[in-house]
Amino acid sequence: MVRLRIVFMFLLLAVTGCLFSGPPPEPYTTVHYYQFSLPGFNATFDPLVEQFHRLYPKYRIRVHALPTGTDDQHQFYLTHLKTRGPGGIDVLALDVIWMAEFARAGLLAPLTDLLPPEKWSDFFPASVQAGTFGEKHYGVPLFVDGGVLYSRKDLLQKHGFDRPPATWSELVSMAKTIMRVESNERLYGFVWQARQYEGLICNFTEFLPRGQPWLLPQGGGRLNRALIEPRLRFMRSLLTDGVSPPSVLAMAEESSRHVFQNGQAVFMRNWPYAWRLLQQADSSVAGKVWMSSLPAVAAGETGHGTLGGFLLGMHRDTPVADAARAWIAFLARPEVQRTLWHKLGLIPARKSVLRSDPPPDPPPVNVLFEVMTHAVPRPATPLYMPLSQSMQAYLSGGLGKVYSIDEAMRLMDADLQRLTRVLNDKTGA
Ligand code: GLC
């Protein structure tokens, strides 16, 4: 009888247990992480993810690789950030230029307390600044970027030049001399990124003199025409004088790197990630390259690169905030930044790592420090992307002779005023 009662109780518990406990709990908390892709991306990220899983056995990271181009990534985020469904974006890598737009739209969660104040000061200040909106940190620096010049050391030395060019006009005369004497029709002078995309804005700002604004605040936002027009003419002359091939009008970072890496150009403007790839065994230019700061407009001035790089942000509505924060803190660790540098050539946003942990065949760290310290940010406005897209169209049209330089300037200026009015309406200014 007692045995019967025990069996009955057991059955009752089993049945009610099944009825009321619902589906078995998920063994893991999954974080969906979205970011750009680069050559060597999976081989670098897979081991990092495994390492994170060992540290946090209850968490799982799903990495979603987006296209390499920053404009394509921005388009993806525009569509997916506002309507975050199940399995949507928890953590994302943000180009420095999107922070104001996404933070102002309330799509990101503040991360100020993710790190103690003294840890924030290890990052390059410009990168921290780029991740700050209204006094709060919304972005944790993943890596920093700044435009640099790559020169073919072997060709320069062969033709009697013992250092990279210090000014843009020096670059032109060196390129012309080398091209004339080498007389190789497959050797270009200078490759850069003039395709109609964000990279064109970065290149454009690097041709301008340092420290002078290209947007003038007075009169409701005007283009600094006196500054820009001569430089746009210079950019066009690179094409008309044959220093740069017409194909630069279609070049982005990777396409220009391939040309330079095949030994087909004397100079290249690019980001520091290219250094590691240029030094690989299959590169025609391994050991034959100088990396330096970009040339200046006038002798005696210092040139400057555009400030680039990516930040880590967390979606405001993520249901897995603890796990997402742990993943962001992990990616910001010194040893992870070192891995990203050594394996992908991404420059650590942490000064301590850049100073102390060079990869084999390191790029010149003093040049990187100089470039990252002086890199010039693009305007931090929530309307940066429409502003950039409008400028991209007119710059590209001006370079490709769709417009005269004069027309390109007028159209850019008119559009800038229209955008400023939109911004003022939105902010009630
Ligand atoms: C690099 C930079 C980024 C920039 C982009 C332009 O990825 O890090 O800031 O917007 O190039 O192509």
Side-chain angles (χ1 to χ4, degrees), residues 68 70-71 95-97 143-145 197-200 202 253 271 307-310 378:
T68 315
T70 181
D71 304 67
D95 193 328
V96 285
I97 47 179
F143 72 93
V144 277
D145 244 352
Y197 81 121
E198 182 57 33
L200 174 56
C202 300
E253 285 83 2
W271 305 99
L307 176 76
F310 277 70
R378 285 157 276 174

